[in-house]
Amino acid sequence: MQVPFFARPRDPTILDAAAWRLVDTRPSADRRSPRPGRHGRGTGCPPVDHAALNATLFIGPRTRTSARLEGLRVEATIEQEGARTWADVQAWFRLQNPLASALPLDAVLQGLDTTPAAHAVTLTVGGVPQPLIAQGATNHWRWQTTLPGNGRLEPLLSYRVPLGDGALARFRYDLVNGWRRAPGSLRVTLRFPDGLAADQLLLARPAGYTFDGHQLTWSFDNRTAVGSLELLILPSAAWHTIQAAQAAAMSATASAADHLALGRWYHRLALADNSEEATLFERYYPQALAALAPAYELAPQLLGYG
C-alpha cells in the first residue's frame, strides 16, 4: 500500500485521529470529527473508568459547643471486588469536654456533596452502638450524646464507600472542621492487603507520607490546617493487565495487535473520568500515540487506514 506523504506512519495528526477513532463508539454516520467531544466524551462515548471524588464521612457539631475534637485517626482497607474498588473505613474521633459539668452534644454525621452513598454505616462508643437519626439526605444523620465533665468520648465511625470503577480508584479525605479548632493529632492510614506497586500510585498528596508497599500513612501533630488527603491509584486488576500488555509490546515478536492493545490501555487512562483529568491526559496520551506508531507501521488497517 502506498502511504500518502501527509499520512506517514509517524505523522502525529494521523496517530491522533486513529487514537480518537479507537474509542468513538458512535455510528459511522454520526462521526463528523475524529474527536467525539471534549476528551472523547460525546454522548456516544461514555467514560470507561471513573474515580470517586471523595470518601469522607465526618462528625461535627450541629450547634455551637464547648466540646473539642482533640484527635482523629482514620484507617481504611482498600480492595477491589470485580470492577469496583472499595474502602472499608474506621474513624476514631477523640472528643473532649473542657468543662467541669456534663456537656450535651448535638452532632451531625454526614458526607460531603461529592461523597458517594456510604454502606454499612455504624457509630459506636466503647463498643455500644449509637442511635443515628436519618435526616433525609444521602449520608446525613443526627447523633445526640453527653460528654462527661472534664472527660473524653471516643466514638468510632465505620462505613464502606466505593472509590471507583474500572482502572482508577481515589481515596480522598477532607478534614471538615466544624469544631472550634483543628485536632491536635491527625493520622490517616490506608492499607492494601494485596500490596501496591510504586507505579500503581498515580497521585498522593500532600507530601510527607510513609509508604512500604502495603500501607500508606499521613501523620500530623499540632497543625492548624491540613487540607485534603488524596490518593489516586491503578487497581491491581488493571495494573496487571497493563503490565502484561507492556511485556507483549516490548517482546521481539510483538505484533501490531500487541502494540494496539497497549495503545488502547494508555488511551483509556488518558480519557479516564476523574478530577485529575488533565494530569492523566498529559501523562498517558503521548504514551498512547507512541504505542500506536508501530501498530500503524505494521498494520494500518487495524487503526482504520488502508
Side-chain angles (χ1 to χ4, degrees):
M1 180 190 72
Q2 183 66 35
V3 179
F5 174 80
F6 63 87
R8 285 179 177 169
R10 295 191 182 277
D11 184 330
T13 302
I14 293 299
L15 294 177
D16 182 70
W20 290 100
R21 182 180 286 125
L22 292 179
V23 295
D24 192 349
T25 59
R26 296 171 297 171
S28 57
D30 295 335
R31 296 182 184 179
R32 296 182 175 87
S33 164
R35 298 194 180 203
R38 182 178 180 269
H39 284 189
R41 291 193 177 92
T43 56
C45 185
V48 176
D49 306 289
H50 171 75
L53 296 178
N54 217 299
T56 307
L57 285 189
F58 65 93
I59 298 173
R62 293 184 73 245
T63 57
R64 187 176 179 85
T65 180
S66 297
R68 300 171 182 170
L69 176 61
E70 275 195 333
L72 173 60
R73 177 164 58 95
V74 179
E75 297 182 0
T77 299
I78 297 176
E79 294 184 283
Q80 189 172 11
E81 294 182 6
R84 176 163 289 184
T85 302
W86 294 86
D88 289 295
V89 184
Q90 290 187 305
W92 288 264
F93 295 77
R94 190 166 70 246
L95 308 179
Q96 182 195 31
N97 175 12
L99 306 179
S101 58
L103 178 64
L105 176 65
D106 189 7
V108 62
L109 190 165
Q110 69 181 77
L112 301 181
D113 290 341
T114 51
T115 304
H119 299 246
V121 178
T122 62
L123 185 69
T124 60
V125 174
V128 179
Q130 301 295 295
L132 297 176
I133 306 169
Q135 298 298 289
T138 301
N139 294 337
H140 194 179
W141 299 267
R142 185 178 182 182
W143 173 53
Q144 295 174 301
T145 190
T146 300
L147 279 68
N150 291 322
R152 293 185 176 89
L153 203 66
E154 295 195 10
L156 166 59
L157 172 61
S158 301
Y159 61 97
R160 194 167 203 246
V161 66
L163 302 184
D165 296 308
L168 283 180
R170 171 184 287 104
F171 182 94
R172 173 172 170 154
Y173 198 90
D174 288 293
L175 182 59
V176 183
N177 190 22
W179 303 94
R180 299 183 68 177
R181 62 184 183 185
S185 172
L186 171 64
R187 182 169 286 102
V188 177
T189 299
L190 309 181
R191 295 191 174 91
F192 309 92
D194 299 325
L196 189 76
D199 52 357
Q200 286 180 258
L201 207 164
L202 303 178
L203 171 74
R205 60 187 176 194
Y209 57 84
T210 61
F211 177 60
D212 63 7
H214 288 272
Q215 181 171 296
L216 185 146
T217 300
W218 285 279
S219 184
F220 304 95
D221 291 303
N222 300 315
R223 289 276 293 270
T224 56
V226 174
S228 302
L229 306 177
E230 185 172 8
L231 180 83
L232 183 68
I233 65 170
L234 277 174
S236 294
W239 180 72
H240 286 304
T241 304
I242 294 171
Q243 291 284 299
Q246 289 173 336
M250 293 174 63
S251 71
T253 59
S255 66
D258 292 328
H259 293 290
L260 180 60
L262 182 58
R264 283 182 183 275
W265 262 108
Y266 286 146
H267 197 257
R268 176 176 166 178
L269 293 174
L271 301 185
D273 180 25
N274 77 102
S275 67
E276 294 300 322
E277 174 181 290
T279 300
L280 291 184
F281 186 84
E282 292 169 0
R283 176 173 179 172
Y284 287 109
Y285 191 67
Q287 295 185 62
L289 296 185
L292 291 176
Y296 184 93
E297 293 179 355
L298 292 169
Q301 66 274 12
L302 290 182
L303 279 73
Y305 295 96

Coordinates of all heavy atoms in Angstrom, one line a residue, residues 227-267:
G227 N -5.9 20.4 55.2 CA -6.5 20.3 53.9 C -6.9 18.9 53.5 O -7.2 18.1 54.4
S228 N -6.9 18.6 52.2 CA -7.3 17.3 51.7 C -6.2 16.3 51.7 O -5.1 16.7 51.3 CB -8.0 17.5 50.3 OG -9.0 18.4 50.4
L229 N -6.5 15.1 52.0 CA -5.6 14.0 51.9 C -6.1 13.1 50.7 O -7.3 12.7 50.7 CB -5.5 13.1 53.1 CG -5.2 13.9 54.4 CD1 -5.2 13.0 55.6 CD2 -3.8 14.6 54.3
E230 N -5.3 12.9 49.7 CA -5.8 12.3 48.5 C -4.8 11.3 47.9 O -3.6 11.5 47.9 CB -6.0 13.4 47.4 CG -6.7 12.9 46.2 CD -7.1 14.0 45.3 OE1 -6.8 15.2 45.5 OE2 -7.8 13.7 44.3
L231 N -5.4 10.2 47.5 CA -4.6 9.1 46.8 C -5.4 8.6 45.6 O -6.6 8.4 45.6 CB -4.5 7.9 47.8 CG -3.7 6.7 47.2 CD1 -2.2 6.9 47.4 CD2 -4.1 5.4 48.0
L232 N -4.7 8.6 44.4 CA -5.2 8.1 43.2 C -4.4 6.9 42.7 O -3.2 7.0 42.6 CB -5.3 9.2 42.1 CG -5.9 8.8 40.8 CD1 -7.4 8.6 41.0 CD2 -5.6 9.9 39.8
I233 N -5.0 5.7 42.5 CA -4.3 4.5 42.2 C -4.8 3.8 41.0 O -6.0 4.0 40.6 CB -4.2 3.6 43.4 CG1 -5.6 3.0 43.7 CG2 -3.6 4.2 44.6 CD1 -5.7 1.9 44.7
L234 N -4.0 3.0 40.4 CA -4.4 2.0 39.4 C -4.7 0.7 40.2 O -3.8 0.1 40.8 CB -3.3 1.7 38.4 CG -3.1 2.6 37.2 CD1 -1.8 2.2 36.5 CD2 -4.3 2.5 36.3
P235 N -5.9 0.2 40.3 CA -6.2 -1.0 41.0 C -5.5 -2.2 40.4 O -5.0 -2.1 39.2 CB -7.7 -1.2 40.8 CG -8.2 0.2 40.5 CD -7.2 0.9 39.8
S236 N -5.3 -3.2 41.2 CA -4.4 -4.3 40.8 C -4.8 -5.0 39.5 O -3.9 -5.4 38.7 CB -4.3 -5.3 41.9 OG -3.7 -4.8 43.0
A237 N -6.1 -5.2 39.3 CA -6.5 -5.9 38.1 C -6.1 -5.2 36.8 O -5.5 -5.8 35.9 CB -8.0 -6.1 38.1
A238 N -6.3 -3.9 36.8 CA -5.9 -3.1 35.6 C -4.4 -3.0 35.5 O -3.9 -3.1 34.4 CB -6.5 -1.7 35.7
W239 N -3.7 -2.9 36.6 CA -2.3 -2.8 36.6 C -1.6 -4.1 36.0 O -0.7 -4.0 35.2 CB -1.7 -2.5 38.0 CG -0.2 -2.4 38.1 CD1 0.5 -1.3 37.6 CD2 0.7 -3.3 38.7 NE1 1.8 -1.5 37.8 CE2 2.0 -2.7 38.5 CE3 0.5 -4.5 39.3 CZ2 3.1 -3.4 39.0 CZ3 1.6 -5.2 39.8 CH2 2.9 -4.6 39.6
H240 N -2.1 -5.2 36.5 CA -1.5 -6.5 36.0 C -1.8 -6.6 34.5 O -0.9 -7.1 33.7 CB -2.1 -7.7 36.7 CG -1.6 -7.8 38.1 ND1 -0.3 -7.9 38.4 CD2 -2.2 -7.8 39.3 CE1 -0.1 -8.1 39.7 NE2 -1.3 -8.0 40.3
T241 N -3.0 -6.2 34.0 CA -3.3 -6.3 32.6 C -2.4 -5.4 31.8 O -1.9 -5.7 30.7 CB -4.8 -5.9 32.3 OG1 -5.6 -6.8 33.1 CG2 -5.1 -6.1 30.9
I242 N -2.1 -4.2 32.3 CA -1.2 -3.2 31.6 C 0.2 -3.8 31.6 O 0.9 -3.6 30.6 CB -1.3 -1.8 32.3 CG1 -2.7 -1.2 32.1 CG2 -0.2 -0.9 31.7 CD1 -2.9 0.0 32.9
Q243 N 0.6 -4.4 32.7 CA 2.0 -4.9 32.7 C 2.1 -6.0 31.7 O 3.1 -6.1 31.0 CB 2.2 -5.5 34.1 CG 2.3 -4.5 35.3 CD 3.7 -3.8 35.3 OE1 4.7 -4.5 35.4 NE2 3.7 -2.5 35.1
A244 N 1.1 -6.9 31.5 CA 1.1 -7.9 30.5 C 1.2 -7.3 29.1 O 1.9 -7.8 28.2 CB 0.0 -8.8 30.7
A245 N 0.4 -6.2 28.9 CA 0.3 -5.6 27.6 C 1.7 -4.9 27.3 O 2.2 -5.0 26.1 CB -0.8 -4.5 27.5
Q246 N 2.3 -4.3 28.3 CA 3.6 -3.7 28.1 C 4.7 -4.8 27.7 O 5.5 -4.6 26.8 CB 4.1 -3.0 29.3 CG 3.3 -1.7 29.6 CD 3.6 -1.1 30.9 OE1 4.1 -1.8 31.9 NE2 3.4 0.2 31.1
A247 N 4.6 -5.9 28.4 CA 5.6 -7.0 28.1 C 5.4 -7.5 26.7 O 6.4 -7.8 26.0 CB 5.4 -8.1 29.1
A248 N 4.2 -7.7 26.3 CA 3.9 -8.2 24.9 C 4.3 -7.2 23.9 O 4.9 -7.6 22.8 CB 2.4 -8.5 24.8
A249 N 4.1 -5.9 24.1 CA 4.5 -4.9 23.1 C 6.0 -4.8 23.0 O 6.6 -4.3 22.0 CB 3.9 -3.6 23.4
M250 N 6.7 -5.1 24.1 CA 8.2 -4.9 24.1 C 8.9 -6.2 23.6 O 10.1 -6.1 23.5 CB 8.7 -4.6 25.5 CG 8.2 -3.2 26.0 SD 8.6 -2.8 27.7 CE 10.4 -2.9 27.6
S251 N 8.2 -7.3 23.4 CA 8.9 -8.5 23.0 C 9.4 -8.4 21.6 O 8.9 -7.6 20.8 CB 7.9 -9.7 23.2 OG 6.9 -9.6 22.2
A252 N 10.4 -9.2 21.2 CA 10.9 -9.2 19.9 C 9.9 -9.6 18.8 O 10.1 -9.3 17.6 CB 12.2 -10.1 19.8
T253 N 8.9 -10.4 19.2 CA 7.9 -10.9 18.3 C 6.6 -10.1 18.4 O 5.6 -10.6 18.0 CB 7.7 -12.4 18.6 OG1 7.2 -12.5 19.9 CG2 8.9 -13.2 18.3
A254 N 6.6 -8.9 18.9 CA 5.4 -8.1 19.1 C 4.7 -7.9 17.8 O 5.4 -7.5 16.8 CB 5.7 -6.8 19.8
S255 N 3.4 -8.1 17.8 CA 2.6 -7.9 16.6 C 1.9 -6.5 16.6 O 2.0 -5.8 17.7 CB 1.5 -9.0 16.5 OG 0.6 -8.8 17.5
A256 N 1.3 -6.1 15.5 CA 0.6 -4.9 15.5 C -0.5 -4.9 16.6 O -0.8 -3.9 17.2 CB 0.0 -4.6 14.1
A257 N -1.2 -6.1 16.7 CA -2.2 -6.2 17.7 C -1.7 -6.0 19.2 O -2.4 -5.4 20.0 CB -2.9 -7.6 17.6
D258 N -0.5 -6.4 19.4 CA 0.1 -6.2 20.7 C 0.3 -4.7 21.0 O 0.0 -4.2 22.1 CB 1.5 -6.9 20.8 CG 1.3 -8.4 20.8 OD1 0.3 -8.9 21.3 OD2 2.3 -9.1 20.3
H259 N 0.8 -4.0 20.0 CA 1.0 -2.5 20.2 C -0.3 -1.8 20.3 O -0.5 -0.9 21.1 CB 1.8 -2.0 19.0 CG 3.2 -2.5 19.0 ND1 4.2 -2.1 19.9 CD2 3.9 -3.3 18.1 CE1 5.4 -2.7 19.6 NE2 5.2 -3.4 18.5
L260 N -1.3 -2.3 19.5 CA -2.6 -1.7 19.6 C -3.3 -1.9 20.9 O -3.9 -1.0 21.5 CB -3.5 -2.3 18.5 CG -4.9 -1.8 18.4 CD1 -4.9 -0.3 18.1 CD2 -5.7 -2.5 17.3
A261 N -3.1 -3.1 21.5 CA -3.7 -3.4 22.8 C -3.1 -2.4 23.9 O -3.8 -1.9 24.7 CB -3.4 -4.8 23.2
L262 N -1.8 -2.2 23.8 CA -1.2 -1.3 24.8 C -1.6 0.1 24.6 O -1.9 0.9 25.5 CB 0.4 -1.4 24.7 CG 1.2 -0.5 25.7 CD1 0.8 -0.9 27.1 CD2 2.7 -0.7 25.4
G263 N -1.7 0.5 23.3 CA -2.2 1.9 23.0 C -3.6 2.1 23.5 O -3.9 3.2 24.0
R264 N -4.5 1.1 23.4 CA -5.8 1.2 23.9 C -5.8 1.5 25.4 O -6.6 2.3 25.9 CB -6.6 -0.1 23.6 CG -7.1 -0.2 22.1 CD -7.9 -1.5 22.0 NE -8.3 -1.7 20.6 CZ -9.4 -1.2 20.0 NH1 -10.2 -0.4 20.8 NH2 -9.7 -1.5 18.8
W265 N -5.0 0.8 26.1 CA -4.9 0.9 27.6 C -4.5 2.3 27.9 O -5.1 3.0 28.8 CB -4.0 -0.1 28.2 CG -4.8 -1.3 28.7 CD1 -4.8 -2.5 28.2 CD2 -5.6 -1.3 29.9 NE1 -5.7 -3.3 29.0 CE2 -6.2 -2.6 30.0 CE3 -6.0 -0.3 30.8 CZ2 -7.1 -2.9 31.0 CZ3 -6.9 -0.7 31.8 CH2 -7.4 -2.0 31.9
Y266 N -3.4 2.8 27.3 CA -2.9 4.2 27.6 C -4.0 5.2 27.2 O -4.2 6.2 28.0 CB -1.7 4.5 26.8 CG -0.4 3.7 27.3 CD1 0.6 3.3 26.5 CD2 -0.3 3.5 28.7 CE1 1.7 2.7 27.0 CE2 0.9 2.9 29.2 CZ 1.8 2.4 28.3 OH 2.9 1.8 28.8
H267 N -4.7 5.0 26.1 CA -5.7 5.9 25.7 C -6.9 5.9 26.7 O -7.5 6.9 27.0 CB -6.2 5.6 24.3 CG -6.9 6.7 23.6 ND1 -8.3 6.7 23.5 CD2 -6.5 7.8 23.0 CE1 -8.6 7.8 22.9 NE2 -7.6 8.5 22.6

